[in-house]
Amino acid sequence: MADPARVVCALKRASVSSLEGCEPKTRKLSATADEIIDESSHHAPHTKGFPRLSVPSCQPLCAISHEQVCELLQFAALGKDRGVKQPSWCRLHHQRRLSGVSVIVLQGVSQLHFYRYYLQLGNIGRRFQLRCSLPPPPPDFLSTVLAARGAASADRTREQPTAQDSLCSSGTVRLHCEPGSDKPGLTSYLLSREDRERHNFPREGAPGCELYVSTECDGQVTDSSPLLGLDCEMCLTEKGKELTRVSLVDGAGRCIMDELVKPENRILDYLTRFSGITKVLLNPVRTRLQDVQARLKQLLPRDAVLVGHSLDCDLRALQMTHPFVIDSSLLFMREFGLRFKLKFLAEAVLGRQIQCEDREGHDPTEDARAALELAQYFIREGPDQVAQLSLEDLLKRQSDGNKQVNGSSLAGSCKPLNGARNGIHTPRRSSLLDNLHAAGLSGIHIVRKGQEDRIACPKRWPRIEYSCETELLAKASGEIPASFFSMVQCSSFSEYAQSNPSLWGASQRQMQGRLAEMCTVYAGPFPRDFTLKSARRLLRRCGPIRSMKLISGSHKPYVAVEYEVLEAAQLAVEVLNGSELEGSFIKVQRPVTETAVDWDDLFHALERDALNEKLVYVAGLSKSLTQEALLQRFREFGHVESVLLPRDPSGGKHRRYGFIKFQGSLSATAALSSEIVLKRRRLLKCRAVTPFHLHTWSSQLSCRALEHTASQHSPAGGCAQQEPPGTQEDEVKELMMRLDRTVERLYSEALPSGTLCVLLLPGESSDDGNLPGLLLAGIKEDSSDVG
């Protein structure tokens, strides 16, 4: 066996070479699993106990809601000492050692802008290694993210909030009824489309939900529509959490469906403590996810309203979308946007014990019935009666051990909390900014001069205005180190967009078209008698083809091919150029356009991206190849965190390509440098150039760009006559570079070591369409960390 030290040194040299432009196919390295040192702490801070962010490795993080951003900020600022739990989607380690929290908002900038102008935003891409997609922003974006009151309500007395203020400030569901309504009907508690988006419910056409199945319930919902309780149990597989049991109860609490489900992927943990599922119980089961999806569609009336506790998780486990939902965890909302556990609510409101300690796992039928009855109680008794339960006080007394919970005496023994309106408990201080002020933590708000306030900051928090970037950096460097919490709004791009009304729609179409061009290659020349079928068979080895167009303008035909993923186009150029087809050697190259000048630089930069250095793209897979076989083969190069095999929505089989995420970048380098054969097929592979959260999003680009590209350029790759690029594009690039420099200097010069920095690209919502946003987060490691 080779000396492990030599292997690691060789791999490191190869890694450095790849950063200097070496193509993956030229690397001549191979290693076994025993010869590769684990790199799980490769990016960990050098100081033990230093704050750090992490996400569960078993679940690729794609998109989060604005409320989940608030979860992170709440915990980072207040922590467990003030009763705030860890965020549901990530972990912040050693929170007590944070020296501060800084939020930087680049107004008007979206996820699309970040990847279109990735080269201009190089410092931002390098600084922040945690990225998550965000939904398009609501009008009250900052208020949602900070759980803050709107500026319009800043002067209202906190002890006498209106019903609408209470609902908005708590971040809960907005009731579809007039303030002061005594007992609104069922339809008043349905989550609107906006509510479902804010709380990350699966929706048709949403990122990550392309393969989800609709319940096809499209009837008219009234106050007499049927309520049905739903609950699911999951296990942990190689793909993440997958469904193992589903229960459905009708409005009377009768169980009408209780099915065990066998996951498609290998089970790593049955989660028996919570699910009650064991290997013995699941072994004889033959029911699959598609079976329960079909049965649910048969059972649900067209106007069915589904009720559950954190129902979004159950629908995601089922991989289904449903338009009419009530979530009991949102009806009974806690302070700081937290939620009561179902076990507590069942005991406190219904006087019933569920999820008992002496039983192994939860009973989903029991949980579905409890969630249903909680919703029925809320609708029947009315919001005012629910407010009198004072659940937050009750939970605190229960946690302190001062009083045993007794469901039969709650309503009469508890004094109503101040500020509880419309049946949803509204704490006296639901705003993050107000709670920071109450805890004695200082904060500042830095905005451009003349910018309107959209959130209400505590009166003692200074509002600092700047008129230019130089003034911003000077004031931030002096003020941010002296404050625990800081919020900086950079509005230069949004101001530019407002002064150029045509920019938004044109820019969106232009960016989408250029990203589609990046997925496009030209192949040829082919012999006159060739068939498109044979060309497709050759070209699809690199990945899924969205469209293929024959170009016969020259003496020999060419084809313009648009792939669904960026990696497939790059791989086709690297691997298939010079291939032989029906006696002719063909060229495979990208369209030569003035906009394509920086493509190679962009691809190499994306390859070096910290989010991609552990990701490998593989293509040319056999249809019969299983995820288990792929996992076993790539485990030879090091620990594999996850395997993603996108599936065909019609047949359910994988689409002959996938992504392997290693724990260490050296393992990925070793896999790329080795020849891998599975099922007598040589796998094609390259470094991934788009992170997990972007794959679904990038595959939604319009195919129109291909037709436009094909009509503009000659088959041989020559550039047809075009107008020179407009000055507007150059201006946008310059603006992005200025924003990048501003963020870099804020990060390196103004933020103290140990500061959690959250950079928000809100996205855009307009009548012309919506652009998703992007969250980037990181913790500054030391004061000299300037690059």
Side-chain angles (χ1 to χ4, degrees):
M1 179 179 292
D3 182 2
R6 291 185 178 181
V7 172
V8 172
C9 289
L11 289 173
K12 286 182 177 178
R13 286 195 298 271
S15 179
V16 172
S17 298
S18 68
L19 297 182
E20 295 173 349
C22 180
E23 297 294 335
K25 63 181 180 181
T26 64
R27 304 178 189 127
K28 302 296 182 183
L29 297 169
S30 61
T32 65
D34 292 333
E35 296 173 321
I36 296 176
I37 295 177
D38 182 273
E39 296 179 287
S40 58
S41 61
H42 180 67
H43 292 293
H46 301 295
T47 306
K48 185 177 181 181
F50 195 87
R52 63 186 177 89
L53 279 169
S54 67
V55 294
S57 61
C58 59
Q59 296 183 19
L61 195 58
C62 295
I64 61 172
S65 66
H66 299 124
E67 285 73 21
Q68 287 175 310
V69 180
C70 185
E71 287 180 10
L72 173 60
L73 296 177
Q74 293 272 18
F75 181 75
L78 301 171
K80 292 182 180 178
D81 293 343
R82 294 182 176 89
V84 182
K85 293 184 178 179
Q86 284 273 9
S88 59
W89 57 279
C90 69
R91 286 293 176 269
L92 174 56
H93 306 269
H94 308 296
Q95 176 270 341
R96 292 186 184 92
R97 301 191 180 186
L98 283 177
S99 59
V101 178
S102 183
V103 179
I104 303 174
V105 184
L106 304 186
Q107 294 176 318
V109 184
S110 69
Q111 178 176 254
L112 187 65
H113 288 96
F114 179 78
Y115 285 101
R116 169 64 186 93
Y117 300 104
Y118 184 85
L119 292 175
Q120 286 73 37
L121 298 171
N123 288 314
I124 291 177
R126 176 173 56 86
R127 285 294 186 192
F128 302 96
Q129 296 185 8
L130 174 62
R131 289 181 214 149
C132 305
S133 298
L134 297 173
D140 55 347
F141 170 74
L142 279 178
S143 297
T144 304
V145 167
L146 299 175
R149 293 169 292 142
S153 63
D155 298 327
R156 296 174 183 163
T157 306
R158 288 195 59 84
E159 284 72 23
Q160 298 293 332
T162 67
Q164 201 64 19
D165 291 334
S166 298
L167 292 170
C168 293
S169 63
S170 62
T172 60
V173 57
R174 301 170 186 267
L175 300 185
H176 312 296
C177 59
E178 292 298 323
S181 277
D182 224 5
K183 294 182 181 180
L186 175 156
T187 53
S188 297
Y189 303 101
L190 291 174
L191 293 184
S192 67
R193 182 178 182 84
E194 180 190 4
D195 292 326
R196 298 200 306 274
E197 183 174 322
R198 289 170 61 226
H199 293 288
N200 206 29
F201 273 74
R203 306 173 311 283
E204 290 187 52
C209 302
E210 290 77 13
L211 304 184
Y212 281 28
V213 175
S214 171
T215 58
E216 298 179 1
C217 294
D218 55 1
Q220 181 67 38
V221 176
T222 66
D223 288 342
S224 58
S225 291
L227 284 173
L228 296 100
L230 177 71
D231 189 69
C232 297
E233 300 296 338
M234 282 79 82
C235 68
L236 186 63
T237 71
E238 294 167 335
K239 188 179 178 182
K241 285 188 177 181
E242 292 191 53
L243 182 71
T244 53
R245 187 177 177 184
V246 56
S247 291
L248 187 71
V249 298
D250 63 16
R254 295 184 295 262
C255 181
I256 57 177
M257 179 180 181
D258 187 13
E259 290 280 355
L260 290 171
V261 185
K262 178 162 286 187
E264 296 287 344
N265 301 287
R266 186 170 71 91
I267 297 176
L268 303 177
D269 188 344
Y270 286 88
L271 303 178
T272 306
R273 176 188 169 193
F274 305 102
S275 68
I277 304 296
T278 63
K279 182 177 181 180
V280 173
L281 192 63
L282 211 55
N283 263 345
V285 175
R286 295 292 176 265
T287 304
R288 297 287 186 176
L289 177 63
Q290 294 82 357
D291 301 322
V292 297
Q293 288 173 338
R295 189 171 175 204
L296 274 172
K297 289 171 67 174
Q298 292 177 345
L299 287 173
L300 295 179
R302 296 181 70 85
D303 62 341
V305 177
L306 287 180
V307 180
H309 199 77
S310 296
L311 185 59
D312 56 305
C313 299
D314 301 308
L315 290 173
R316 288 191 179 278
L318 286 164
Q319 295 186 22
M320 298 188 78
T321 61
H322 185 74
F324 314 125
V325 294
I326 294 177
D327 196 321
S328 56
S329 72
L330 297 177
L331 292 179
F332 302 87
M333 180 66 81
R334 293 185 60 194
E335 59 187 8
F336 308 126
L338 300 176
R339 307 187 189 188
F340 290 107
K341 290 184 178 180
L342 181 63
K343 176 182 174 69
F344 168 78
L345 288 176
E347 190 174 9
V349 180
L350 306 175
R352 179 185 306 159
Q353 296 276 348
I354 66 170
Q355 302 174 2
C356 299
E357 301 275 336
D358 56 350
R359 283 194 311 210
E360 190 174 41
H362 301 173
D363 180 349
T365 302
E366 181 182 64
D367 291 353
R369 189 178 293 120
L372 173 73
E373 292 182 14
L374 283 169
Q376 291 172 331
Y377 177 91
F378 201 103
I379 297 168
R380 181 179 66 252
E381 297 299 327
D384 292 335
Q385 179 64 30
V386 174
Q388 294 178 23
L389 298 180
S390 300
L391 295 172
E392 189 71 35
D393 277 0
L394 191 63
L395 180 63
K396 289 176 181 176
R397 289 197 295 272
Q398 183 192 56
S399 301
D400 294 339
N402 295 330
K403 181 176 179 180
Q404 291 293 325
V405 177
N406 186 335
S408 62
S409 62
L410 291 177
S413 62
C414 299
K415 186 178 180 180
L417 292 180
N418 292 330
R421 294 293 180 96
N422 260 14
I424 298 179
H425 169 66
T426 305
R428 288 178 61 87
R429 293 187 179 96
S430 57
S431 165
L432 167 62
L433 305 183
D434 287 338
N435 279 286
L436 286 169
H437 180 60
L441 298 172
S442 58
I444 56 170
H445 184 198
I446 304 178
V447 297
R448 195 170 185 88
K449 188 173 294 185
Q451 184 172 333
E452 180 186 358
D453 261 336
R454 293 186 176 271
I455 56 172
C457 290
K459 290 183 178 179
R460 294 183 183 177
W461 281 28
R463 170 189 163 104
I464 300 173
E465 296 185 341
Y466 67 92
S467 55
C468 63
E469 274 73 11
T470 302
E471 188 178 0
L472 164 62
L473 293 168
K475 291 185 174 181
S477 298
E479 298 288 345
I480 289 180
S483 303
F484 178 78
F485 188 92
S486 60
M487 181 169 58
V488 182
Q489 291 179 250
C490 299
S491 56
S492 57
F493 182 75
S494 60
E495 290 172 0
Y496 176 79
Q498 289 172 7
S499 64
N500 294 270
S502 63
L503 173 67
W504 196 92
S507 176
Q508 181 187 17
R509 290 188 296 272
Q510 189 180 54
M511 287 188 293
Q512 288 179 330
R514 289 181 180 178
L515 285 170
E517 282 184 354
M518 290 171 65
C519 295
T520 302
V521 298
Y522 286 93
F526 294 99
R528 283 286 182 184
D529 56 350
F530 93 108
T531 62
L532 278 176
K533 184 176 181 180
S534 61
R536 178 179 289 271
R537 188 183 303 117
L538 172 67
L539 292 164
R540 73 181 181 189
R541 290 174 55 198
C542 295
I545 295 174
R546 169 169 299 151
S547 60
M548 179 181 290
K549 183 179 178 65
L550 178 64
I551 303 173
S552 54
S554 60
H555 67 286
K556 287 189 177 181
Y558 282 74
V559 292
V561 182
E562 185 184 5
Y563 286 99
E564 291 186 17
V565 292
L566 302 178
E567 288 86 352
Q570 181 72 2
L571 198 58
V573 174
E574 292 179 357
V575 175
L576 298 184
N577 190 31
S579 299
E580 182 180 1
L581 180 68
E582 298 181 2
S584 294
F585 291 94
I586 63 170
K587 294 180 180 179
V588 180
Q589 60 189 45
R590 296 190 178 280
V592 179
T593 69
E594 294 183 16
T595 61
V597 173
D598 59 354
W599 280 354
D600 285 339
D601 291 338
L602 176 59
F603 270 98
H604 290 311
L606 286 170
E607 281 187 327
R608 297 192 295 269
D609 192 302
L611 269 67
N612 298 332
E613 62 181 4
K614 303 174 187 178
L615 277 176
V616 174
Y617 171 82
V618 291
L621 307 179
S622 167
K623 277 283 189 182
S624 60
L625 183 67
T626 64
Q627 193 167 357
E628 172 67 21
L630 194 63
L631 178 67
Q632 291 296 338
R633 182 67 178 87
F634 277 89
R635 273 178 174 166
E636 297 176 13
F637 306 101
H639 179 70
V640 176
E641 287 188 353
S642 53
V643 175
L644 176 64
L645 286 180
R647 297 187 175 275
D648 192 328
S650 56
K653 293 185 177 181
H654 68 74
R655 308 187 65 198
R656 297 187 178 181
Y657 77 99
F659 300 89
I660 315 294
K661 184 178 182 182
F662 287 95
Q663 190 176 59
S665 59
L666 299 187
S667 302
T669 303
L672 287 168
S673 62
S674 303
E675 183 170 305
I676 301 175
V677 178
L678 277 173
K679 296 276 186 177
R680 294 184 294 181
R681 287 173 178 253
R682 184 175 68 88
L683 302 190
L684 304 180
K685 54 196 181 304
C686 68
R687 184 81 67 180
V689 292
T690 44
F692 267 10
H693 74 268
L694 193 61
H695 285 299
T696 301
W697 173 78
S698 63
S699 67
Q700 301 306 305
L701 296 177
S702 170
C703 300
R704 295 175 184 170
L706 177 61
E707 298 178 5
H708 175 75
T709 304
S711 64
Q712 293 287 325
H713 311 296
S714 66
C719 183
Q721 288 249 317
Q722 292 187 29
E723 295 180 5
T727 58
Q728 194 174 72
E729 174 69 5
D730 296 332
E731 290 174 354
V732 172
K733 284 185 177 181
E734 177 60 31
L735 269 173
M736 292 298 170
M737 286 191 287
R738 281 169 48 194
L739 281 173
D740 185 64
R741 289 194 298 267
T742 299
V743 173
E744 169 64 14
R745 291 192 63 185
L746 282 172
Y747 187 94
S748 60
E749 298 175 15
L751 300 189
S753 174
T755 298
L756 169 66
C757 183
V758 176
L759 180 65
L760 296 176
L761 281 53
E764 191 68 48
S765 297
S766 79
D767 296 336
D768 296 326
N770 298 326
L771 292 179
L774 185 66
L775 172 143
L776 303 96
I779 297 174
K780 185 175 179 182
E781 293 188 17
D782 60 71
S783 300
S784 61
D785 184 16
V786 291

